[in-house]
Amino acid sequence: MAINATTPQEAEARRTVTELFAFIEAQGQGDYIGEAVSQLQHSVQAGVLAQQAGADDEVVLGALLHDVGRFIPAAEKMESMIAEDGTNVGKASHEILGERYLRQLGFSENICQLVGAHVMAKRYLTGVSKAYYNGLSKSSKMTLKFQGGPFDEDQVNAAQQDPLLEAKLAVRRWDDQAKDPEMYTPPLSSFGEMAVQSLLRSRSQTVS
């Protein structure tokens, strides 16, 4: 059932999404750890790739927001991952921070888990496919070392029990592909209504 556009719940959801997107816009203009796109371009490209694949709104938002832990104010307190050559390759555990942040805002459990799992999915895929590892960018291979490395057989078997595994792997693959400096991307705001409606649905289920 549609929620009346004048309700306090919708107004609050819109404020939440506006603030969330403002964090991404403000912090996303910087370099994306050695890639040819900005952090903002990378995030939006991941969301667009999910849409093009016909994913549902929750998976699209999981892809769009997969790096949100890099953008929020709390990220400034996180330890940086420094490669052997001194290169800063990102913030440690940003996926966990992002998952917790979105859960606090009231986003659905599926979206939160997708955001929290994109590093896990990378470790899974490198554990089951040498070709996948070989296809990673240099910076992604460097961060893998800090993230625990490829899954072993026991970890792979455990991950395969997760009903969200395929969606998590899909978000990871879009994450890998979303580094194209030539790809047209719409503004982040084009995902605003989707985020608002998703947040409203999730919050209404929480209080019902």
Side-chain angles (χ1 to χ4, degrees):
M1 183 176 69
I3 296 177
N4 189 300
T6 62
T7 64
Q9 293 90 339
E10 179 164 352
E12 176 57 30
R14 292 191 182 282
R15 282 193 294 269
T16 297
V17 171
T18 296
E19 181 178 76
L20 171 63
F21 281 18
F23 286 145
I24 298 174
E25 290 275 8
Q27 301 298 324
Q29 303 300 330
D31 172 68
Y32 177 54
I33 53 175
E35 304 292 353
V37 294
S38 70
Q39 293 186 73
L40 175 60
Q41 287 175 304
H42 171 68
S43 295
V44 176
Q45 284 186 18
V48 169
L49 289 168
Q51 285 182 315
Q52 291 175 346
D56 64 33
D57 286 359
E58 288 195 332
V59 177
V60 170
L61 290 169
L64 176 75
L65 300 174
H66 74 276
D67 271 343
V68 70
R70 299 182 189 274
F71 305 124
I72 58 179
E76 297 176 3
K77 301 176 182 178
M78 294 170 60
E79 181 181 354
S80 294
M81 297 181 288
I82 307 299
E84 293 178 1
D85 63 358
T87 302
N88 184 335
V89 291
K91 294 289 187 179
S93 302
H94 70 277
E95 74 284 359
I96 296 173
L97 184 62
E99 177 181 2
R100 290 174 179 169
Y101 176 69
L102 293 178
R103 188 172 287 117
Q104 289 170 356
L105 295 183
F107 280 95
S108 75
E109 187 60 24
N110 280 1
I111 292 173
C112 295
Q113 286 197 35
L114 291 174
V115 169
H118 75 278
V119 169
M120 178 283 292
K122 175 182 175 181
R123 296 183 63 202
Y124 176 92
L125 288 167
T126 53
V128 299
S129 173
K130 184 66 174 177
Y132 176 83
Y133 174 83
N134 291 338
L136 291 176
S137 65
K138 180 180 178 181
S139 60
S140 194
K141 287 177 181 176
M142 285 193 292
T143 58
L144 179 63
K145 296 178 181 178
F146 291 91
Q147 293 162 341
F151 270 2
D152 61 26
E153 184 177 354
D154 288 341
Q155 291 170 313
V156 167
N157 290 336
Q160 289 173 344
Q161 308 308 308
D162 182 357
L164 278 179
L165 179 62
E166 289 306 315
K168 291 174 179 179
L169 298 182
V171 169
R172 179 70 233 181
R173 292 188 176 99
W174 296 321
D175 181 8
D176 294 329
Q177 296 167 24
K179 301 172 183 179
D180 181 359
E182 304 301 322
M183 179 180 175
Y184 165 76
T185 50
L188 177 63
S189 59
S190 67
F191 292 91
E193 192 62 27
M194 179 190 294
V196 168
Q197 295 305 319
S198 179
L199 186 55
L200 280 169
R201 287 192 297 270
S202 178
R203 286 177 170 177
S204 67
Q205 290 167 3
T206 300
V207 299
S208 61

